[in-house]
Amino acid sequence: MISHLFETGWSKLSCGSRALEEVEHTVGPLSDQRTEGVRDVGVSLLSECVILGNSELLALRSEGDVIIGGLFPVHYLVSNSRDTYNSKPQNGPCNGFDDRAFRWMMTMIFAVEEINRNPALLPGVTLGYHIMDSCDHIHTSLRALLSLLTHSTKGQNTLGEDRININNLEGKTKNIQRIYFATCACLTDKHTYPSFLRTVPSDLFQVRGLVELVKFFGWNWVGTVGTLDDYSRYGIQAFSNQFIQLGGCLAYHLTIPQSPTLGEIGAMADTLQSSNAKVVVVFASEVQLQELFSELAARNVSGIQWVASESWVTANMLTAPQFHLLLQGTLGFSFPGVYIPGLREFLLKVRPKAEPGFEFHNMLWEEVFDCRLEFTENTTDSPERPVCTGSEDLSNLQSSYTELSKVRISYNVYKAVYAIAHALHDLLECGYVGATTAEAGCKKNGQFYLLMTISFFFYNCTKCPEYYWSDKRKVECVAGVDDFLSVYDTMGIILITLTLLGVVMTTVITTVFHHFRATPIVRANNSEISFLLLVSLKLCFLCSLPFIGKPSTWTCRLRQAAFGVSFVLCLSCLLVKTIVVLLAFRSTGPGSGAMKLFGPAQQRTLILCTTAPQVCLCAGWLSAAPPFPFRNPMYQIVVECRELWPAGFYLVLGYIGLLASLCLLLAYLGRKLPDTFNEAKLITFSMIIFCAVWLSFIPAHVSSPGKFTVAVEIFAILASSFGLLFCIFVPKCFIILVRPENNVKKRMIKSPR
């Protein structure tokens, strides 16, 4: 007879404090426990576990060549007894039957029987099971676990050398545990828990997802609720650390005691009800939350956004009518639901029986049908309960036990059983490679050992190097593709076309002005300034080109400097033209010398003086803290120009805004001057467009991601340049080319009234 303990579940989903997970974390890995017997008041180290007293726990058993042990939280309440140390401690009864946990238990039996019927898997070997109730309690879990260990090492019609005691299990098998729902991140440490394996991901992944979920919705002020167990404590701790690192703030943390009083429940409800934080992250089970949610529902509390851990996000509590107002809109992550063929039919075959080994079946029957079986010894039943007939139909029942459209935890149990079966199958076929012959050789005499490492249970997840991404299958890292505003992109082609169009139009207008340079409309207000303005406009169009294409060292340095100097030169010319218009009509009186004091030399000096500060600013910026190309991998690999001194860009933009505002003010003052062709009006319109474009640019520039940040700036450059070109020069070209009769001095100046 071969006996091996397979721990399919040391913790629970909806029942209490995940007691079996606590067992592993509290007392350490059970493979290292050497205290195997206790007698009288002293402790003695024996060669094997012994059962104290006659308090045998209820269990579902089926014998086989290989025994798989299972622990499930079929009950979730244990009566608290205070030990006086004057008499032997009494084991309190377990209460609160969880039909969903019983479904997990039956799923394990279903998987074992399905494997035994499969001739291709473990041929000639029969799997058995010993399944017990952990009651979601540490002490009860330990008792059940030691009972399983003891049962697996005591005589079962075995002979001398075939017996495998605890020391053999530790030395040969390391007590390998398949955990179907222990998600605590504390159990990830392979040095402390070398034999701990699970068919469920660690909470580290869930916490990462919850933090991203909360930040995605912009919830930066949240509260947390947890319990005293490790699942909650480590989950809340990991969430809090990551959330705070991303700029979030925690309003409060509430801890639900193991057996909360009405006063404690009321105090927690007061905090939740009065706090300004309306987003609450909860790491607990539905049973632990029952009393708190009942109190909040009684107060008609609403408006709280609950973010749930996986242990209660799919609980039936969410669909209970009494909690609709309180829990509507709850968000969280759950395990993917899977349909297991044949499981529903297997579960519906359960029937109560007055025989040993059917105690859990009888409990289920009494719980889901709210009746009383005459042959049970349950003294807690209310006398008002009707007597069960035994003919009740599970198929018409609406409960967690029969809700099987998409199972989650049951599937984890199912996978755990099949994992051990495939591992044993490989061992039987001498499929294990890399161990010594003494430890892993196949034995045909009916005895073999399950080794600790089973490679296909693990996924060696590693973080991809910088600038690499995981592929769609999440199995390898591939080089990321650089993203930037390329000259081959549709957007890049459109912007280049607009840039060249602006340059061509400016060149055509310059040619027209040069050909008709002797006419009054060109000579007005200093034709030299008009030509300089056209040159600066051409530079404004051209300065958008360094923004297109993959950023390099020279383009990063050239783009902002060219932009800043070109637009300041353009606005300086407009400022001088506006001043000339104002002075021309203010100095019409006899003996006025205003125009003599602001002649061409003074105009050129003013242009030089207003442009020089921008040139000095750009030169200092580029020499002290020049921008440089940078690959930003935050969302995708965006190649952009990183500003070492972000204030430099805003100082350049601010100086441009100062000159534009001054031009707008002076042009507005000269809008009513007595001129048939009043250039001040044209400058006013052009400055209104210019200011509107750049005021819209700032918020769009800040909020645009990746290469669209560059596209927004190019659009602002082109829009403002076209605005200046159209408002100031196109009307003049229209008169020169279409209405030449108006291009005379008499028609351009009104006679004063």
Side-chain angles (χ1 to χ4, degrees):
M1 176 74 189
I2 303 164
S3 178
H4 172 71
L5 173 69
F6 165 51
E7 170 53 53
T8 59
W10 287 39
S11 64
K12 38 75 65 196
L13 169 65
S14 61
C15 306
S17 59
R18 301 195 172 206
L20 294 167
E21 182 176 297
E22 292 284 333
V23 169
E24 181 76 7
H25 184 55
T26 302
V27 304
L30 293 172
S31 60
D32 297 332
Q33 304 304 308
R34 307 294 181 181
T35 302
E36 297 160 348
V38 180
R39 292 185 180 178
D40 299 328
V41 295
V43 178
S44 61
L45 298 178
L46 305 179
S47 62
E48 59 188 32
C49 286
V50 296
I51 299 177
L52 299 180
N54 55 0
S55 56
E56 184 70 19
L57 297 173
L58 295 178
L60 293 178
R61 290 189 175 92
S62 176
E63 302 305 326
D65 299 324
V66 178
I67 303 300
I68 301 177
L71 295 178
F72 295 89
V74 180
H75 292 86
Y76 52 83
L77 293 176
V78 177
S79 58
N80 294 323
S81 60
R82 304 185 65 177
D83 296 329
T84 62
Y85 303 101
N86 294 324
S87 60
K88 178 181 177 181
Q90 298 298 317
N91 299 317
C94 296
N95 300 311
F97 188 86
D98 188 347
D99 52 343
R100 182 163 58 163
F102 180 71
R103 186 226 299 165
W104 305 340
M105 177 186 287
M106 296 302 296
T107 302
M108 175 179 169
I109 298 174
F110 170 77
V112 169
E113 294 184 0
E114 189 176 67
I115 291 170
N116 287 336
R117 293 193 303 268
N118 187 353
L121 185 59
L122 288 176
V125 177
T126 301
L127 295 181
Y129 53 82
H130 289 178
I131 307 175
M132 307 186 77
D133 183 8
S134 70
C135 294
D136 191 29
H137 190 259
I138 295 178
H139 297 161
T140 309
S141 302
L142 279 172
R143 287 180 56 223
L145 174 62
L146 292 175
S147 176
L148 287 171
L149 287 169
T150 304
H151 186 78
S152 68
T153 61
K154 291 269 183 174
Q156 299 182 16
N157 298 323
T158 60
L159 300 176
E161 297 301 323
D162 288 331
R163 186 170 126 190
I164 305 176
N165 60 25
I166 291 224
N167 291 330
N168 285 338
L169 283 171
E170 290 172 350
K172 304 297 184 182
T173 71
K174 303 295 184 184
N175 283 349
I176 297 181
Q177 303 135 26
R178 300 292 182 278
I179 311 302
Y180 66 89
F181 201 58
T183 60
C184 181
C186 58
L187 299 173
T188 306
D189 186 2
K190 284 298 179 183
H191 295 287
T192 307
Y193 311 104
S195 59
F196 181 86
L197 308 175
R198 50 185 163 192
T199 57
V200 62
S202 167
D203 276 333
L204 291 174
F205 301 100
Q206 178 185 194
V207 167
R208 198 175 304 165
L210 290 176
V211 172
E212 292 294 333
L213 178 68
V214 171
K215 294 299 293 183
F216 175 80
F217 287 105
W219 298 329
N220 296 318
W221 180 241
V222 306
T224 57
V225 176
T227 58
L228 293 172
D229 54 54
D230 283 339
Y231 164 73
S232 177
R233 185 164 64 250
Y234 280 86
I236 291 294
Q237 180 182 359
F239 174 84
S240 301
N241 292 339
Q242 295 184 31
F243 183 59
I244 292 173
Q245 288 177 1
L246 293 179
C249 295
L250 295 180
Y252 57 82
H253 172 65
L254 301 179
T255 301
I256 303 175
Q258 187 172 0
S259 300
T261 63
L262 291 177
E264 290 170 333
I265 292 294
M268 288 187 287
D270 291 339
T271 302
L272 289 166
Q273 193 171 6
S274 61
S275 175
N276 291 328
K278 296 303 180 184
V279 179
V280 182
V281 179
V282 183
F283 266 80
S285 68
E286 59 178 307
V287 175
Q288 293 167 316
L289 296 169
Q290 185 78 34
E291 295 182 39
L292 177 60
F293 282 169
S294 297
E295 175 65 21
L296 292 172
R299 299 185 183 190
N300 290 325
V301 175
S302 62
I304 297 178
Q305 175 60 59
W306 301 96
V307 180
S309 65
E310 94 294 338
S311 63
W312 70 280
V313 70
T314 57
N316 286 342
M317 177 199 311
L318 295 174
T319 60
Q322 68 198 81
F323 296 124
H324 280 177
L325 182 64
L326 175 66
L327 300 179
Q328 60 182 352
T330 298
L331 297 176
F333 297 103
S334 68
F335 301 117
V338 176
Y339 172 73
I340 302 178
L343 178 59
R344 176 177 174 82
E345 292 75 14
F346 177 81
L347 295 179
L348 294 181
K349 292 179 182 178
V350 170
R351 289 291 183 273
K353 290 185 180 180
E355 299 176 10
F358 286 86
E359 291 84 0
F360 292 123
H361 299 67
N362 299 337
M363 293 176 189
L364 171 73
W365 209 264
E366 291 182 328
E367 177 69 22
V368 298
F369 291 113
D370 194 24
C371 60
R372 173 171 50 90
L373 291 170
E374 292 182 323
F375 50 79
T376 60
E377 298 180 358
N378 191 347
T379 58
T380 61
D381 280 330
S382 173
E384 289 79 14
R385 267 186 161 185
V387 176
C388 301
T389 63
S391 60
E392 291 84 0
D393 189 2
L394 285 172
S395 61
N396 297 326
L397 184 68
Q398 297 293 329
S399 73
S400 299
Y401 179 75
T402 57
E403 178 53 47
L404 298 170
S405 57
K406 295 287 185 178
V407 294
R408 295 175 174 84
I409 312 308
S410 298
Y411 184 57
N412 290 338
V413 177
Y414 187 77
K415 288 187 295 182
V417 177
Y418 265 90
I420 190 66
H422 282 285
L424 290 170
H425 185 86
D426 288 346
L427 285 174
L428 283 172
E429 294 184 346
C430 299
Y432 186 84
V433 180
T436 62
T437 304
E439 289 182 338
C442 290
K443 296 186 178 182
K444 301 303 182 181
N445 61 357
Q447 179 179 358
F448 58 88
Y449 302 117
L450 176 63
L451 301 176
M452 188 179 81
T453 303
I454 301 172
S455 61
F456 56 82
F457 290 142
F458 296 96
Y459 292 92
N460 185 21
C461 296
T462 58
K463 184 178 181 180
C464 289
E466 191 175 18
Y467 309 126
Y468 280 76
W469 307 89
S470 59
D471 62 357
K472 293 181 179 180
R473 297 180 300 158
K474 307 295 183 183
V475 296
E476 61 180 346
C477 296
V478 295
V481 179
D482 291 345
D483 187 43
F484 54 89
L485 185 59
S486 172
V487 295
Y488 302 106
D489 291 344
T490 302
M491 185 184 301
I493 294 174
I494 293 174
L495 293 175
I496 291 176
T497 303
L498 292 175
T499 299
L500 297 179
L501 177 63
V503 172
V504 170
M505 290 183 64
T506 306
T507 303
V508 170
I509 292 175
T510 303
T511 304
V512 171
F513 265 55
H514 183 267
H515 183 73
F516 295 95
R517 61 186 178 276
T519 60
I521 198 169
V522 177
R523 295 179 60 188
N525 302 337
N526 193 339
S527 60
E528 180 184 345
I529 301 300
S530 296
F531 285 109
L532 183 58
L533 178 58
L534 286 169
V535 171
S536 64
L537 276 175
K538 187 179 295 186
L539 293 177
C540 289
F541 282 112
L542 291 174
C543 75
S544 63
L545 292 179
F547 288 87
I548 304 174
K550 188 174 183 177
S552 61
T553 302
W554 74 269
T555 56
C556 285
R557 297 187 179 189
L558 176 64
R559 56 171 59 174
Q560 300 296 0
F563 156 71
V565 174
S566 299
F567 271 89
V568 164
L569 178 61
C570 177
L571 292 174
S572 298
C573 294
L574 283 177
L575 180 63
V576 169
K577 288 179 73 67
T578 307
I579 294 174
V580 169
V581 171
L582 290 175
L583 291 178
F585 286 93
R586 301 294 182 187
S587 60
T588 55
S592 176
M595 288 300 300
K596 294 181 181 180
L597 295 177
F598 195 68
Q602 289 77 18
Q603 295 172 21
R604 288 191 290 268
T605 302
L606 181 59
I607 293 174
L608 180 63
C609 291
T610 52
T611 307
Q614 188 79 309
V615 174
C616 294
L617 177 60
C618 292
W621 178 21
L622 295 181
S623 59
F628 61 93
F630 173 72
R631 302 176 75 195
N632 187 353
M634 182 172 293
Y635 302 105
Q636 53 186 340
I637 302 179
V638 178
V639 185
E640 59 188 13
C641 290
R642 170 67 63 88
E643 308 286 354
L644 288 177
W645 189 42
F649 171 71
Y650 291 103
L651 286 175
V652 168
L653 195 62
Y655 187 68
I656 293 175
L658 176 64
L659 290 181
S661 301
L662 186 59
C663 285
L664 177 61
L665 176 63
L666 294 178
Y668 180 78
L669 294 176
R671 71 192 186 282
K672 294 184 179 181
L673 293 177
D675 193 349
T676 301
F677 186 80
N678 188 354
E679 194 167 17
K681 291 182 180 179
L682 304 180
I683 296 176
T684 301
F685 289 136
S686 66
M687 286 297 98
I688 290 175
I689 295 174
F690 186 92
C691 293
V693 168
W694 286 103
L695 286 176
S696 303
F697 159 76
I698 295 176
H701 181 267
V702 172
S703 60
S704 298
K707 64 182 180 182
F708 296 102
T709 304
V710 177
V712 166
E713 186 168 356
I714 297 175
F715 175 80
I717 291 173
L718 295 178
S720 55
S721 300
F722 275 113
L724 294 174
L725 186 67
F726 287 160
C727 289
I728 295 175
F729 291 102
V730 170
K732 294 181 180 180
C733 289
F734 178 79
I735 292 176
I736 292 173
L737 300 175
V738 180
R739 299 288 178 84
E741 67 276 7
N742 292 336
N743 191 7
V744 293
K745 189 173 183 180
K746 292 182 179 181
R747 297 295 301 269
M748 294 182 62
I749 301 177
K750 282 185 179 181
S751 301
R753 293 181 181 179

